[in-house]
Amino acid sequence: MSRLEEVTEQVKALKQARDILKQQYAATDFHKKKERNPQEAVPSSPRDEEIYKLLTAIQQLDHYVKKLQDEQFDLMKKEE
């Protein structure tokens, strides 16, 4: 398997993981409250710690997807 294929598979796996976490976040009461009132602060509750962990994980996955996509682009340019 070439490095480009490896990176492509990694990007795909990270995007799938990110989508799963986004679905879990979308199902939370916190998200629903934010959707109804995006400009207002949603009071925090003890369960919100898990929500913040989800959001942090989503952001980290986005970071690594971007990083790998940059590498993927560089690899594609080298193959031309």
Side-chain angles (χ1 to χ4, degrees):
M1 180 181 282
S2 73
R3 180 65 185 147
L4 179 58
E5 290 171 328
E6 287 177 30
V7 171
T8 300
E9 288 301 313
Q10 290 174 350
V11 168
K12 184 178 174 182
L14 290 176
K15 284 183 173 183
Q16 288 173 339
R18 181 189 61 195
D19 290 344
I20 291 168
L21 293 180
K22 282 184 175 183
Q23 288 172 354
Q24 289 181 351
Y25 172 69
T28 64
D29 290 335
F30 182 89
H31 173 70
K32 292 172 186 168
K33 288 177 189 175
K34 279 301 252 185
E35 286 292 309
R36 284 188 299 241
N37 303 306
Q39 301 301 324
E40 293 182 28
V42 176
S44 58
S45 71
R47 291 180 31 188
D48 289 346
E49 184 176 341
E50 292 300 315
I51 304 303
Y52 292 121
K53 286 179 185 178
L54 268 177
L55 292 173
T56 301
I58 291 167
Q59 289 173 341
Q60 288 175 333
L61 286 170
D62 282 338
H63 169 77
Y64 287 108
V65 165
K66 171 78 170 95
K67 184 176 175 180
L68 285 170
Q69 285 176 330
D70 289 345
E71 182 180 348
Q72 187 180 37
F73 181 71
D74 289 340
L75 290 168
M76 285 190 297
K77 284 188 348 185
K78 287 179 184 176
E79 286 187 358
E80 291 180 351

